[in-house]
Amino acid sequence: MSREPVFNSALAYAMHISDQAIIGNGDSDFDAMWELLRSALREIHEKNASKLSFEQLYRASYKIVLKKLGDRLYDRVKEFEEQWFAAEVMPTIRALITSNLVNITTGGISGATANERRTTGEDFLKGLKASWEDHITVMNMTTDVLMYMDRVYCSDNRKASIFTTAMGLFRDHILRSPLSSTDQNLITFDILNSVILDQIGMEREGDVINKHLIRSCIYMLEGLYETDEENDNEKLYHTVFEVEFLNSSRTFYRNECLGLLRDSDASTWLRQTNRRLIEEDARSRTTIAVATAPMIAAVVEQEMISSHLQEFLAMEGSGIKAMIENDRYDDLSLLYQLISRVDPSKEPLKNALQARVVELGSDINKAILNTDFASLLADDGEAGEVVDKEKERAKKPNAASKATAAAIKWVDEVLHLKDKFDMMWRKCLDEDLILQTALTKSFSDFINLFSRCSEYVSLFIDDNLKRGIKGKTEGEVDEVLDKATTLIRYIQDKDMFERYYKKHLARRLLHGKSESADVEKQMISRMKLEIGNAFTTKLEGMFKDMQTSEDLCSGYRNYVRNLGDLDRKQIDLGINVLTSNHWPMESMGGSKDEAEGGRQNCNWPPEIYTLQESFKAFYLKERNGRMLTWLGFLGNADIRCVFPRMKESGNLGRERKYEINVTTYGMVILLLFNDLGDEETLSFEEIQERTNIPTIDLSRVLFTISVLPKCRVLTKDPPNKEHPKPGDKFAFNKTFWSKAIKIKAPVISGVNKVEGEEERKETEDRNDEHRGNVIDTVIVRIMKARKEFTHQLLVTEVISQLTQRFKPDLSMMKRRIESLIEREYLERVEEAAIPTYRYLA
Amino acid sequence: MPPLTSTQRAMVNQFMAITGVPEKTAQKLLKTAGWKIEQASDSYFAQSGGPAPASRGDGLEKLFESYRSKEDEVGEMGVNGVMKYLQDIAVNLEDASMFVPLEVIQAPSLGEVSKEAFVNGWKAVYCDTIPKQKAYVAQQISMLSTDMALFKRVYRHVFVCAKDKGAKALPLDNAIVYWQILFAAPGKEWATPSTNWIALWVEYLTAKFTKTVNKDMWNQTFEFFLKSMQDETLSFWSEDGAWPGVIDEFVAYAKEKRGGAEPMETE
């Protein structure tokens, strides 16, 4: 507050008054001086100061102090003030205190309307404010007049300045003065508090109040202290008003929150709470004191947010579930902001979000399981035998691809969910890192709950790399790859994923299904970043093989040309040389016999054999010592077939030439029929004996060229739709006719699709077997380094070393340990207090 | 001197038979050696410079040769010889008794003993005649169900001589027979007040177990036997422990069998 000197220019003059002029003696002098001052004070109090001579008054007080009568003067002034308060000020204030105001203060019921209350309250505040401001003005002038007393007497005697004392007098004689002689407990201050609080209450209800007036009264309280020592933390504002303000606000907001809980929804609650926080902050700035802002905020946070948070979150139809469901971003933003205020770890929001992710994720999982089940049922229902299954697939590809579509749908839905939460995270959650971690964990949790996640994610990538990215811009492709990478990050069993990825990639590469080599490579480098080098080496090896093979083929063509004996019948050979440990041989379509009993070789027709030998010679010229194995089940061949004229007219009325694309095995089989007489047939067994093609493959290939209509160049006896089996007889189909000249025989295992139950189990078994080996290696490596290691620590160490690739199963680890004991890599340490193993070198 | 326990009494008799010292001296020496008969004999012979090991070895070699038939290879005793020998030292071929001498002479299989192991085995316990060996074996058998170190030694050796030569594991059926023999008198019965473990173990294996019994499983079964005898509630078992999988599964089986129902009767 300011104490501007009223007599500025006079003061400057006064400083030069000579001491000599005012020496006097005795009490009579004092009385005279005091009388002079007293009447001047009265004038000042009555606002007639303009007539006064500052010099004269200053001199008077100066003289008194010089005569060492400062204490008397000091007391007289105090006395004067006290009398003034009692006689002039209090009566006015009392007059303003209506019974209404008293009722409000004592908590009694006031019959007055809000408007009346506001007016009387304002009058009271105005009155109090006026008397306070008068007091300040008066005391400023008084201080100036009594400056010499303050300077000399007060500082010498360590007394509070007259101004300070006068402030204290205001506190004691105005604010703390009892309102009536009967009730000593009720003082002006109580009325003041309750009036301000009442006004604030009205404002909270939406009324307009005189903020400025209240602010003035608050200034007053900030200018007054508990004691005359004027400790900063003992301002009456803090010690009395603020406490009451916070208490009454607490009650108010507690009730308001309960009311909202009872009558409203979470959305209203959020908005109301937010509005209250803003209002209180503004109130602190404009109406009361800024210092109170954090405290009142804490009260609102506690009462409006913390105390019933869970109930609001759980509200049906408007709680967190509904907010997420209906993308209520505004609500969520508010919620995030409010929760951040009360809990830096955002625990309640985190838990709610996580629960929701897992719940929604589980729904997706459940849906896909149901789909799978349904399509499997459909398959089983129509196909009593394996036969029809194939037919089913060939006829309407959706039977097989339905499951695949479902798989991709699963991934899409997961991604959709992910997008939803990402969007929410960006828009509403202020990209909060704690929440991001929590969300990531929940996604990972539910994705890994679904046992086929590895397969499906790989299929999703397969689908995109095959056709999904066709016609997309670079940016869009990037987005797809980003999504794929995110999903991979979530997958726990990276080894399983690698297995599927290899399998699907192999098909894409060998069947030329990949849309863009560039994108394939981008995907690989992403995975390299995400999972590490070890993961992608083999995948890169596969690409390298493809590249080398291309070079090889052109090299071979040049080589043949240079040999000179250019044969018109020379077969054009395209070849892929695959490094056997980079490619997933067992899942590339060879039948099981092949995977098990080494690669059983087929008996190649002489033409082919010559070609193979020629390539081999070329290949081994620079790469001595390598082994080439021909994989008949993977390749394909274009053959030209000529069908004789059968009838005078019609479709069969002339000779027909077709170019047929069949699998390599198909070619081998068809070539057998070249040497056959007109009416001769070959039995299944004969074909098998002469070609040495494994039964399953043979049956499949024959099915495509003797049963399926598209390329039925052989006839089967009996002529039914069943899969060829031993005992069937085959002959050249002379009456074959097709609209197209180029025909592609259907390939049965050319498309990547969801694995059947059996196939899935095989893959799992293979993966488990592989894991077993990996675990063995890790255990041996650890034990080699440690020599002796306890069971517990060994298990922990194995898990930590493998966690990047997969989560090892406890019982599997135990089995591996047992097996290592049996194979004498390890032994149990006898008599060890805790189970311990020893490495046997 | 405090009265002797029955095992101690048996040991004194055996010690007298080995060394030919009077009873009082025998008791004193045994007591000094902490009632370990091998140590007592060792120190006795070391001090008294008694029968030279070589001469005793001679006696044992002769003894060995007397059981070897002409068909047997040099240095080895065939099945007929072993049977006759076991009868001569009066062990019961129907129960765990017969594994006690077989462990002493480290028989590599049930019908085969090598001369070297025979001589060394008996030399180490100072028994160079049939009567001495008979007494020693009788005494050991009497301790089989109380001295768990001895029982463990015998138990472990059973795996060695029960499996086919060169084999790493024991067929399940055979293993079950041996378990039934070992975990019955004069071996230690594997049963606690609430549970007849050996019966349960065999029941479990017959129902669920399909593989052969390897050395680790054989040895760990003994450890499990020891533990379960101390604590039939199996509270010592934990999934995180190092027990072989078969034990883990047996624990689950046993718990399910006993779970909720009244404790099994003891037979």
Side-chain angles (χ1 to χ4, degrees):
Chain A
M1 106 196 43
S2 64
R3 292 203 285 158
E4 273 179 39
V6 182
F7 306 105
N8 244 343
S9 56
L11 182 67
Y13 167 70
M15 290 305 171
H16 298 96
I17 300 169
S18 146
D19 284 359
Q20 303 302 317
I22 40 169
I23 304 286
N25 271 318
D27 282 0
S28 58
D29 270 355
F30 173 81
D31 288 337
M33 300 294 169
W34 169 242
E35 191 46 43
L36 181 70
L37 285 169
R38 200 187 61 82
S39 67
L41 287 181
R42 175 159 285 279
E43 293 295 315
I44 290 173
H45 279 74
E46 283 170 355
K47 302 178 184 171
N48 287 323
S50 55
K51 284 179 243 160
L52 297 173
S53 155
F54 173 75
E55 188 194 335
Q56 193 189 19
L57 296 173
Y58 184 87
R59 242 176 239 268
S61 71
Y62 178 76
K63 267 188 200 165
I64 294 176
V65 174
L66 270 191
K67 288 182 178 172
K68 310 274 178 217
L69 294 171
D71 55 339
R72 246 150 97 185
L73 176 60
Y74 193 87
D75 290 343
R76 289 284 173 90
V77 175
K78 261 173 80 177
E79 219 170 277
F80 176 86
E81 282 302 320
E82 281 166 16
Q83 283 165 3
W84 176 262
F85 286 149
E88 305 290 336
V89 186
M90 270 319 282
T92 344
I93 291 175
R94 281 214 182 92
L96 292 170
I97 300 174
T98 62
S99 59
N100 260 332
L101 293 184
V102 178
N103 272 339
I104 295 166
T105 311
T106 52
I109 295 150
S110 146
T113 64
N115 207 30
E116 277 168 355
R117 258 163 51 215
R118 196 181 61 225
T119 333
T120 48
E122 275 180 10
D123 288 346
F124 167 75
L125 292 179
K126 275 180 194 152
L128 195 59
K129 178 191 164 207
S131 63
W132 166 252
E133 280 167 356
D134 287 350
H135 183 59
I136 294 287
T137 318
V138 163
M139 286 322 293
N140 272 325
M141 290 165 84
T142 310
T143 305
D144 287 339
V145 170
L146 301 177
M147 185 184 297
Y148 195 76
M149 181 183 79
D150 264 350
R151 286 237 186 107
V152 178
Y153 166 75
C154 291
S155 65
D156 283 0
N157 294 281
R158 298 179 188 281
K159 280 208 164 188
S161 72
I162 193 67
F163 188 88
T164 308
T165 310
M167 293 298 123
L169 291 176
F170 187 87
R171 172 192 67 216
D172 295 337
H173 291 270
I174 306 292
L175 293 184
R176 288 186 180 162
S177 105
L179 290 177
S180 62
S181 44
T182 48
D183 186 0
Q184 291 289 322
N185 289 328
L186 197 63
I187 56 175
T188 320
F189 208 162
D190 296 331
I191 305 283
L192 174 64
N193 277 337
S194 67
V195 167
I196 297 180
L197 293 178
D198 191 40
Q199 299 269 324
I200 290 175
M202 288 182 221
E203 190 182 39
R204 283 184 182 144
E205 300 294 341
D207 280 359
V208 178
I209 58 166
N210 187 342
K211 291 179 184 169
H212 188 72
L213 179 62
I214 295 176
R215 187 71 188 248
S216 305
C217 293
I218 296 291
Y219 276 147
M220 170 179 79
L221 294 179
E222 282 186 310
L224 292 172
Y225 298 80
E226 283 286 320
T227 62
D228 289 350
E229 272 146 43
E230 305 205 331
N231 288 329
D232 256 356
N233 48 4
E234 288 193 337
K235 289 179 178 172
L236 289 185
Y237 174 77
H238 291 306
T239 54
V240 183
F241 176 76
E242 194 175 64
V243 180
E244 288 209 15
F245 171 67
L246 293 175
N247 281 339
S248 75
S249 303
R250 188 176 296 280
T251 318
F252 174 79
Y253 286 120
R254 181 172 302 150
N255 291 333
E256 174 156 287
C257 191
L258 286 172
L260 285 168
L261 193 59
R262 194 175 51 238
D263 304 327
S264 305
D265 57 12
S267 183
T268 318
W269 162 71
L270 285 171
R271 281 175 178 70
Q272 181 70 356
T273 305
N274 194 47
R275 209 186 77 212
R276 288 304 192 192
L277 283 165
I278 295 170
E279 273 176 15
E280 288 301 337
D281 191 61
R283 177 166 300 118
S284 297
R285 280 167 214 293
T286 61
T287 316
I288 52 174
V290 176
T292 307
M295 287 177 243
I296 183 66
V299 168
V300 182
E301 282 161 9
Q302 170 61 35
E303 295 306 329
M304 295 280 288
I305 308 174
S306 303
S307 54
H308 298 287
L309 181 57
Q310 294 302 343
E311 283 123 297
F312 281 111
L313 285 181
M315 272 189 170
E316 195 73 35
S318 69
I320 182 118
K321 189 170 160 179
M323 293 183 204
I324 295 172
E325 209 75 4
N326 305 320
D327 296 331
R328 291 184 189 151
Y329 291 142
D330 294 345
D331 285 5
L332 283 164
S333 301
L334 274 177
L335 183 63
Y336 171 75
Q337 286 161 16
L338 295 186
I339 288 182
S340 305
R341 277 170 165 272
V342 298
D343 185 353
S345 70
K346 293 126 202 155
E347 207 64 40
L349 182 60
K350 191 174 103 185
N351 295 341
L353 285 172
Q354 283 193 306
R356 204 56 205 133
V357 169
V358 172
E359 211 175 312
L360 290 170
S362 306
D363 286 350
I364 298 178
N365 289 348
K366 236 177 269 162
I368 185 76
L369 286 179
N370 291 342
T371 324
D372 257 1
F373 190 53
S375 76
L376 276 178
L377 267 189
D379 260 0
D380 280 357
E382 289 169 55
E385 283 175 62
V386 202
V387 185
D388 290 317
K389 219 174 191 171
E390 295 290 356
K391 183 185 77 183
E392 213 48 54
R393 281 192 188 143
K395 260 192 180 170
K396 39 173 188 174
N398 52 353
S401 58
K402 210 192 271 167
T404 310
I408 290 167
K409 188 166 159 246
W410 178 81
V411 176
D412 277 339
E413 275 173 17
V414 171
L415 284 175
H416 185 70
L417 190 65
K418 167 84 180 135
D419 279 349
K420 185 183 169 96
F421 276 86
D422 273 354
M423 173 74 97
M424 192 186 297
W425 180 69
R426 274 196 306 277
K427 274 199 165 173
C428 319
L429 308 181
D430 197 23
E431 310 205 347
D432 186 281
L433 289 181
I434 298 178
L435 295 179
Q436 187 184 36
T437 317
L439 287 174
T440 304
K441 187 176 171 300
S442 304
F443 269 92
S444 177
D445 281 355
F446 89 77
I447 289 176
N448 284 298
L449 273 181
F450 181 57
S451 60
R452 288 201 165 199
C453 59
S454 307
E455 183 184 2
Y456 283 14
V457 170
S458 178
L459 267 178
F460 168 80
I461 299 173
D462 182 69
D463 186 62
N464 272 296
L465 290 177
K466 273 190 329 211
R467 29 196 193 95
I469 56 168
K470 204 177 275 181
K472 280 191 176 162
T473 66
E474 213 167 288
E476 285 167 331
V477 170
D478 257 2
E479 202 179 310
V480 171
L481 296 186
D482 274 344
K483 284 179 177 172
T485 319
T486 314
L487 288 173
I488 296 170
R489 196 177 307 147
Y490 288 143
I491 292 175
Q492 208 167 49
D493 295 337
K494 300 273 198 297
D495 57 340
M496 222 23 185
F497 174 74
E498 182 189 355
R499 197 166 285 276
Y500 282 111
Y501 198 85
K502 262 162 80 176
K503 175 178 166 182
H504 296 153
L505 176 63
R507 289 255 172 86
R508 284 204 297 280
L509 291 178
L510 294 178
H511 294 274
K513 291 273 172 61
S514 186
E515 181 63 27
S516 151
D518 195 39
V519 177
E520 288 277 4
K521 281 186 186 137
Q522 281 183 40
M523 191 63 222
I524 302 275
S525 58
R526 271 162 194 274
M527 288 193 281
K528 196 189 231 169
L529 267 177
E530 199 60 48
I531 319 176
N533 268 333
F535 181 83
T536 49
T537 356
K538 289 190 177 169
L539 303 179
E540 285 168 317
M542 288 163 74
F543 279 102
K544 215 169 144 209
D545 279 351
M546 295 305 286
Q547 184 60 47
T548 326
S549 301
E550 227 171 81
D551 297 347
L552 262 178
C553 287
S554 60
Y556 177 65
R557 263 175 222 126
N558 287 337
Y559 164 80
V560 171
R561 204 173 299 135
N562 293 341
L563 280 183
D565 54 343
L566 203 54
D567 185 352
R568 276 182 59 91
K569 281 182 121 183
Q570 177 68 44
I571 303 168
D572 188 24
L573 179 69
I575 206 154
N576 287 318
V577 180
L578 314 179
T579 314
S580 55
N581 58 359
H582 289 167
W583 295 75
M585 292 302 168
E586 68 280 356
S587 55
M588 286 196 319
S591 60
K592 249 183 288 174
D593 316 348
E594 214 138 0
E596 282 161 10
R599 261 160 238 124
Q600 171 187 355
N601 224 328
C602 135
N603 295 336
W604 304 100
E607 306 91 308
I608 304 296
Y609 183 73
T610 324
L611 189 65
Q612 285 176 338
E613 285 304 309
S614 142
F615 179 78
K616 207 163 140 187
F618 164 75
Y619 183 77
L620 292 180
K621 211 164 59 173
E622 285 166 22
R623 303 167 185 77
N624 216 353
R626 295 209 185 162
M627 272 269 296
L628 282 180
T629 311
W630 299 87
L631 303 177
F633 57 88
L634 279 178
N636 56 67
D638 291 321
I639 11 181
R640 196 167 297 139
C641 295
V642 184
F643 295 86
R645 178 177 173 194
M646 294 299 289
K647 282 187 185 164
E648 289 306 317
S649 61
N651 287 335
L652 305 177
R654 53 193 162 82
E655 199 178 74
R656 303 170 306 283
K657 283 186 185 167
Y658 297 112
E659 267 187 32
I660 303 179
N661 180 278
V662 290
T663 62
T664 312
Y665 277 159
M667 166 190 72
V668 173
I669 296 166
L670 289 180
L671 285 178
L672 293 179
F673 289 85
N674 264 353
D675 310 331
L676 240 51
D678 255 6
E679 300 303 325
E680 278 183 86
T681 60
L682 284 175
S683 70
F684 192 92
E685 290 89 340
E686 280 168 324
I687 296 177
Q688 185 161 32
E689 197 196 312
R690 289 168 68 175
T691 59
N692 201 23
I693 296 173
T695 317
I696 295 178
D697 287 332
L698 182 59
S699 168
R700 273 188 196 160
V701 175
L702 281 172
F703 184 74
T704 62
I705 52 178
S706 71
V707 179
L708 296 180
K710 188 178 176 196
C711 186
R712 209 160 69 89
V713 292
L714 296 182
T715 55
K716 183 167 88 87
D717 180 37
N720 54 23
K721 300 276 185 207
E722 281 175 25
H723 255 237
K725 54 181 182 294
D728 290 354
K729 287 196 167 68
F730 301 89
F732 181 56
N733 179 9
K734 281 176 285 193
T735 61
F736 178 75
W737 180 84
S738 162
K739 241 189 237 168
I741 300 296
K742 287 195 172 180
I743 306 165
K744 186 165 167 42
V747 186
I748 282 175
S749 56
V751 200
N752 283 325
K753 54 177 187 277
V754 173
E755 291 179 332
E757 287 302 318
E758 203 179 303
E759 211 181 341
R760 165 76 187 175
K761 212 184 153 299
E762 261 175 51
T763 310
E764 272 174 359
D765 289 349
R766 260 203 298 273
N767 202 46
D768 278 351
E769 196 188 316
H770 180 72
R771 281 185 182 187
N773 294 337
V774 174
I775 294 176
D776 273 3
T777 320
V778 171
I779 293 178
V780 168
R781 196 165 57 217
I782 295 170
M783 290 306 292
K784 208 167 180 174
R786 305 277 186 167
K787 302 301 176 216
E788 280 190 20
F789 214 32
T790 67
H791 174 81
Q792 281 294 338
L793 289 174
L794 179 61
V795 167
T796 319
E797 184 69 25
V798 171
I799 294 178
S800 87
Q801 291 203 9
L802 287 176
T803 190
Q804 264 292 312
R805 290 178 58 71
F806 59 91
K807 199 170 155 211
D809 176 60
L810 185 64
S811 71
M812 186 188 274
M813 280 188 280
K814 281 177 87 163
R815 277 203 304 279
R816 299 325 300 175
I817 293 173
E818 279 169 49
S819 146
L820 286 169
I821 291 176
E822 202 176 340
R823 286 180 284 156
E824 294 179 355
Y825 281 94
L826 304 181
E827 65 176 4
R828 291 176 197 268
V829 177
E830 297 275 338
E831 317 295 343
I834 30 175
T836 306
Y837 305 109
R838 181 184 294 124
Y839 179 68
L840 298 174
Chain B
M1 222 179 269
L4 300 177
T5 67
S6 59
T7 6
Q8 286 170 341
R9 161 90 16 226
M11 249 189 247
V12 171
N13 287 337
Q14 195 194 342
F15 192 72
M16 284 157 63
I18 296 169
T19 56
V21 295
E23 189 177 332
K24 280 225 160 133
T25 323
Q27 281 190 25
K28 212 173 88 196
L29 286 169
L30 277 166
K31 199 166 171 238
T32 327
W35 295 99
K36 296 217 167 66
I37 196 157
E38 282 88 12
Q39 281 179 24
S41 337
D42 278 347
S43 61
Y44 171 76
F45 287 119
Q47 279 166 19
S48 65
S55 67
R56 286 186 296 119
D58 283 350
L60 284 167
E61 277 182 35
K62 269 184 209 137
L63 189 62
F64 181 85
E65 290 300 331
S66 68
Y67 285 100
R68 202 173 73 81
S69 67
K70 282 179 191 120
E71 298 89 64
D72 298 340
E73 284 185 36
V74 179
E76 273 177 24
M77 190 194 292
V79 64
N80 293 333
V82 175
M83 286 305 134
K84 183 163 186 307
Y85 171 69
L86 290 178
Q87 278 159 12
D88 286 354
I89 56 170
V91 293
N92 186 346
L93 297 181
E94 304 289 310
D95 62 26
S97 319
M98 73 161 172
F99 297 117
V100 173
L102 288 178
E103 191 270 327
V104 172
I105 57 178
Q106 290 292 309
S109 78
L110 285 181
E112 191 184 339
V113 177
S114 87
K115 188 162 159 187
E116 198 190 346
F118 181 88
V119 172
N120 289 343
W122 286 123
K123 223 199 284 187
V125 292
Y126 306 100
C127 298
D128 54 358
T129 61
I130 289 288
K132 282 182 190 170
Q133 291 170 0
K134 195 166 157 182
Y136 179 81
V137 167
Q139 183 262 340
Q140 293 286 86
I141 291 171
S142 72
M143 302 198 311
L144 203 54
S145 63
T146 48
D147 181 345
M148 282 303 121
L150 169 68
F151 189 40
K152 182 172 177 175
R153 226 164 43 231
V154 172
Y155 175 93
R156 289 206 164 188
H157 185 71
V158 169
F159 184 77
V160 177
C161 64
K163 70 183 171 55
D164 287 339
K165 255 193 169 173
K168 289 219 157 196
L170 204 54
L172 180 62
D173 293 345
N174 295 5
I176 287 180
V177 172
Y178 287 114
W179 271 318
Q180 282 167 331
I181 293 175
L182 282 163
F183 292 126
K188 179 72 180 166
E189 269 184 72
W190 188 10
T192 55
S194 76
T195 310
N196 182 349
W197 290 102
I198 180 63
L200 195 61
W201 175 239
V202 169
E203 176 189 317
Y204 160 73
L205 292 174
T206 319
K208 310 269 176 180
F209 193 73
T210 49
K211 288 182 250 170
T212 55
V213 177
N214 62 26
K215 188 173 157 202
D216 188 52
M217 174 174 168
W218 180 263
N219 289 348
Q220 289 297 305
T221 304
F222 190 81
E223 300 303 320
F224 185 75
F225 146 78
L226 285 181
K227 292 272 191 187
S228 60
M229 292 296 283
Q230 281 164 17
D231 174 8
E232 61 170 345
T233 65
L234 304 185
S235 65
F236 59 89
W237 178 88
S238 120
E239 201 185 4
D240 303 331
W243 295 107
V246 58
I247 300 277
D248 289 344
E249 278 155 32
F250 173 61
V251 169
Y253 183 83
K255 286 191 170 165
E256 197 194 313
K257 278 268 162 179
R258 303 193 300 177
E262 290 135 274
M264 282 182 68
E265 301 163 341
T266 322
E267 282 164 43

